Amino acid sequence: MAGKRQVFGFGFIPEESQHHFLVIIPNTSDGKVIIYERFKWQDGVEEQKIDLNEDKPKVALSKYKWKQIEEDLRNEFNARLKKEKLPAGKWHPGQVPVQRLFGKEMLLLAWAIEDCDPSVIPTAIKNWLGLSPEERWWLFTMTNAATGGLNDKRGWRKAIRYALTENPVEESNRQLDFFDLMLRRKTDE
């Protein structure tokens, strides 16, 4: 009988894919939260060893900005993990592995807020939540291909910041999908 597969952090299962993102959250309030993209998992160790020749730092956020997005990230990812009947994840000081697709989505939001005024972070979150996972993956892929490094804060990275922080979605202007339109017609009759 096969053993139960081990799930780390937010949906990361090394036996399915070694590709993941590793969020390193400092204990101090003034430290930086750093997110690495990694393609190798070291089994049986308490803490993953970062190898800068292979592990790519993607973003460094102030702890303050991280705190602004961590709850929304947790809620979004845990709702989807629950549908897959996988254990919920939680953020804590130290290392938190994140499944590769969730990591792409997380990085998109992190890139959007890395250089923004903190007052627009709620707008970025609202706009990020308004995107489907597939849209987030596509935007990550385009941004990562051109400007995915830690200090590549130009081009697509700037575009993502403007798109998510300066494009407020208003409920009254929301585009209706077909189901909403049919429901509205039915209630108007």
Side-chain angles (χ1 to χ4, degrees), residues 2 12 17 19 32 38 57 63 82 87 132 155 164 171 180 183:
F12 174 55
S17 172
H19 185 192
K32 294 277 189 184
R38 302 180 74 231
K63 187 93 174 260
K82 185 177 181 180
S132 70
L164 292 182
E171 284 299 312
D180 289 336
L183 187 62

Side-chain angles (χ1 to χ4, degrees), residues 13 22 36 45 101 108-109 146 168-169 189:
I13 304 169
L22 190 65
Y36 290 88
V45 298
L101 293 175
L108 185 69
L109 181 56
V169 174
E189 291 176 355

